[in-house]
Amino acid sequence: MTYSASGPASILVVGASLAGLSAARALRERGYTGRLTVAGSEPSGPYDRPPLSKDFLTGALTEDDIALMSGDDAALDAEWRMAHTATELSAAECGGYRVTFSGGETIGADVVILATGARARTLPGCSGLRGVHTLRSLDDARELRASLRQSRNVVIVGAGFIGAEVASSAVSMGLNVTVVEASPTPLAGPLGAELGAICASQHAANGVDLVTGVAVARLAGDERVHAVELADGRILPADTVLVGIGAVPNVEWAESSGILIDDGFVTDTAGQTNLPGVYAIGDCARSYDVWANAHHRSEHWSNAIAQAGIAADSILGKTPSPAAIPYFWSHQYGKMLQFAGARGQADQIRWVEGDPVSGTFVVVYERDGVPTGVFAMNNVRLFTRYKKQLSKAYCQPRPETAALAT
């Protein structure tokens, strides 16, 4: 393994989406001058994923609008290898690592940053059935958009954030939309039952049918889907079905390397895996969180950027960037939903301003009187104030969970 004054002689970033691009930017911004290669599995360059379920789906934004790279990124002086899907990670005989790709090419580097993202979960038994979609990539969004334009009835399986955003987009296009959720209350996991129910009420308020507490039994159709049959016997007509039931990290390809995997590549607070010189960031990383005193995987936009900077600091031996507080947002039915913090199952909520009837409010999550998170609907100003307050404490462990994981 070769190092210069500015760090390792070569760095390979595996993954060319937001996390991968952010890693390349962070390294150059911190003075790294060595060889930098970024390899991505998709043929297109980095693009912004959040609009795929919203304005890109409705046609309000084009592919050029969601491209992440600008003219300034030419200064990154990186070698871009697109349509390169990683298939193996191994140690190189002379030090460092080698990554083998599906086309047979092998790229070696002193340091490897894994940013391979995640893929959408699918329903069993619907492979090859036209009109059935998941939404993770630009190709997925192109296909879903084309399908919606030929449809009248849309069924969305899963009432999480992606499902809700697509429901919002589809009903704005004049389609009949039904959302099916197996759990009793959508979004109860990230937000809690009370706020999950409040957010879910937006479906009915905007003409979308919401069916909860029942699973999908099967998708009916020969070559193309025409209905969704529920476990209770109900049959929902469907020209298009979106399956939005979560994501699986893209990690299996590296299993033979000995890297620790547990719902993602397991890392410390700096993004370092158990293999020296191998880091993981973004959707594929299950990183240690000092505040929560646990490892967890985050699929949110802001997390990918923050982890890229933290990993770059670690690789180059610089003072670590402050840990970023978990944060996500969602646009649904013309409303802005925002959450920051780390909600626990036993946390209580305190109403700070507004109420559900007005459609704009802020609540704070608390544990033993100590704020742990904040959620807002259509109140960016007050949300930002509480988020800043939480951020000051976030990089420090809670008193009762001060011990760090090894």
Side-chain angles (χ1 to χ4, degrees):
M1 191 176 297
T2 305
Y3 283 81
S4 65
S6 70
S10 58
I11 298 176
L12 169 63
V13 181
V14 186
S17 193
L18 175 66
L21 173 61
S22 298
R25 287 172 171 170
L27 287 164
R28 292 306 195 206
E29 287 168 359
R30 288 157 174 76
Y32 178 63
T33 59
R35 179 184 177 186
L36 180 59
T37 306
V38 184
S41 60
E42 295 186 58
S44 58
Y47 56 86
D48 203 16
R49 293 185 190 276
L52 296 183
S53 57
K54 299 181 280 291
D55 287 345
F56 181 81
L57 206 57
T58 62
L61 292 180
T62 68
E63 293 184 24
D64 287 340
D65 293 328
I66 65 173
L68 286 175
M69 295 186 71
S70 66
D72 293 339
D73 288 312
L76 293 176
D77 189 27
E79 301 175 32
W80 292 87
R81 307 289 181 88
M82 306 312 296
H84 275 54
T85 300
T87 59
E88 185 180 13
L89 171 68
S90 59
E93 294 180 1
C94 57
Y97 297 89
R98 296 177 302 181
V99 175
T100 303
F101 296 90
S102 53
E105 182 179 0
T106 297
I107 300 176
D110 296 308
V111 169
V112 176
I113 301 176
L114 306 177
T116 46
R119 62 188 182 276
R121 294 182 186 275
T122 59
L123 287 176
C126 62
S127 177
L129 192 60
R130 290 189 295 115
V132 180
H133 302 269
T134 56
L135 182 56
R136 192 75 190 180
S137 68
L138 180 56
D139 281 345
D140 292 339
R142 291 187 188 114
E143 293 173 4
L144 177 59
R145 184 171 64 180
S147 185
L148 290 175
R149 289 173 175 173
Q150 303 173 28
S151 298
R152 180 179 180 183
N153 298 306
V154 179
V155 174
I156 297 171
V157 182
F161 290 110
I162 292 296
E165 289 171 357
V166 173
S168 173
S169 298
V171 77
S172 75
M173 298 166 70
L175 304 178
N176 301 320
V177 183
T178 301
V179 178
V180 179
E181 171 59 45
S183 67
T185 306
L187 302 176
L191 300 181
E194 183 177 352
L195 287 176
I198 291 170
C199 292
S201 69
Q202 297 300 310
H203 292 299
N206 289 274
V208 172
D209 292 331
L210 174 63
V211 180
T212 62
V214 61
V216 171
R218 72 183 189 96
L219 304 185
D222 295 323
E223 294 183 356
R224 184 179 180 91
V225 68
H226 63 74
V228 176
E229 182 177 338
L230 304 183
D232 62 7
R234 277 181 286 181
I235 296 178
L236 307 174
D239 307 306
T240 293
V241 173
L242 172 74
V243 180
I245 54 175
V248 180
N250 293 320
V251 295
E252 299 90 345
W253 65 275
E255 285 178 338
S256 63
S257 68
I259 192 170
L260 184 59
I261 296 174
D262 181 8
D263 186 36
F265 297 119
V266 179
T267 81
D268 63 13
T269 56
Q272 171 75 61
T273 71
N274 62 307
L275 300 182
V278 177
Y279 293 75
I281 60 174
D283 296 359
C284 69
R286 188 162 179 258
S287 305
Y288 182 71
D289 186 324
V290 175
W291 180 258
N293 194 34
H295 288 85
H296 75 97
R297 191 169 63 84
S298 172
E299 298 177 10
H300 300 300
W301 191 90
S302 57
N303 179 69
I305 297 176
Q307 287 187 340
I310 291 170
D313 288 332
S314 179
I315 291 168
L316 302 179
K318 296 184 178 294
T319 302
S321 302
I325 189 170
Y327 166 67
F328 63 83
W329 75 93
S330 178
H331 288 281
Q332 304 171 22
Y333 305 112
K335 290 183 167 57
M336 175 68 156
L337 312 182
Q338 295 172 284
F339 174 86
R343 186 190 76 86
Q345 294 299 316
D347 290 1
Q348 304 295 311
I349 64 171
R350 174 170 58 88
W351 291 83
V352 175
E353 183 176 289
D355 57 72
V357 176
S358 68
T360 175
F361 61 85
V362 177
V363 300
V364 172
Y365 295 89
E366 294 181 337
R367 186 179 313 163
D368 299 326
V370 178
T372 59
V374 58
F375 175 81
M377 177 183 286
N378 274 0
N379 195 326
V380 175
R381 176 191 56 79
L382 191 55
F383 172 85
T384 302
R385 183 195 306 172
Y386 276 92
K387 178 175 178 283
K388 287 180 179 178
Q389 293 175 5
L390 283 169
S391 296
K392 293 178 181 178
Y394 182 74
C395 59
Q396 300 297 325
R398 293 173 178 160
E400 72 272 22
T401 60
L404 297 182
T406 57

